[in-house]
Amino acid sequence: MLRFRFWLICMMLAMAIAPVRAQQRVNVVASFSILGDLVKNVGGDRVNVTILVGPDGDVHVYTPAPADARKIADAKLLVINGLGLEGWLPRLLQSAGSKAPIVTATKGIAPLKLGSNADPHAWQSVANAKIYVANISDALVAADPAGAEVLRANAQAYLAKLDALDREVREAVANIPPGRRKVISTHDAFGYLAAAYGIEFIAPLGVSTESEASARDIAGIIREIRTEKIPAVFLENISDPRLIRRIAAETGARVGGTLYSDSLTGEKGDAPTYIELVRHNIKALTGALAD
Ligand SMILES: [Zn+2]
């Protein structure tokens, strides 16, 4: 009996530490790179993550390829941002004929408004990213009940890292003199960062990169930089840099570098993960706004 019990414990240990075989992994499709990273952190080796809009891609103006319909058809779960970010998704879902459940990662987040539209860039506040992770964790557990324990442990570990990140951002912003917490970015992607951490962002483009800034908008921004003495302007990895460079040249505001708004970079870039994206942005901001 004792020997049997020993054997049983050994078997259970072996099962617990055996890596999940690739064919047992759950296929999850994430609409864009930032979500994909959050899913990987929670899913670990229980999931295969496929990302539709990859590194340095612009999720606002994406045109799905035929391969995307196949990716979605194979998915057991589809993770999207919602709040109007993925306007191209309904047609893609229709052509894929997918029955996979869809989880909206922003579920439960009170959206900021920009005019009559919801601002979709909720991930720019780390507190919101924690809500994304909770939603993703619940959806993954529902899709893979056998992995519940591992998935919940992964989520807890990642949430602890996000708590530390949030503290890091608050400490960094506290070191910027209050009068200098103002920047220009290309499109209105940092409303949640502004609301959470108290840095003011002004953008010539609206909430989507789809629009183009008018001459009047640009003249207004240039006037604002001068009267408000805004210290720095920032480029984005997904937007045309010419507009910001022109504004910098006309006003003498410093180009503070690149902010990563809607997309991660590739492995070798400055922002290959969500945590590195937030760290890069806050470092660029504090560097440009310090005296
Ligand atoms: Zn955007």
Side-chain angles (χ1 to χ4, degrees), residues 176-177 180-183 199 231-232 254 284-291:
I176 304 170
R180 293 179 62 85
R181 293 176 192 165
K182 285 179 252 180
V183 293
I199 295 179
R254 186 186 332 175
L285 288 167
T286 49
L289 299 181
D291 277 317

Side-chain angles (χ1 to χ4, degrees), residues 258-277:
T258 299
L259 293 178
Y260 297 99
S261 55
D262 300 11
S263 176
L264 301 178
T265 63
E267 285 298 321
K268 294 201 171 85
D270 290 325
T273 67
Y274 173 71
I275 288 179
E276 283 163 296
L277 175 147

Side-chain angles (χ1 to χ4, degrees), residues 99-134:
K99 301 268 187 297
I102 298 174
V103 58
T104 303
T106 53
K107 192 178 70 187
I109 290 172
L112 295 176
K113 289 273 174 184
L114 269 164
S116 55
N117 297 321
D119 178 349
H121 307 87
W123 62 87
Q124 288 290 348
S125 139
V126 179
N128 284 344
K130 290 175 62 186
I131 299 176
Y132 281 56
V133 168

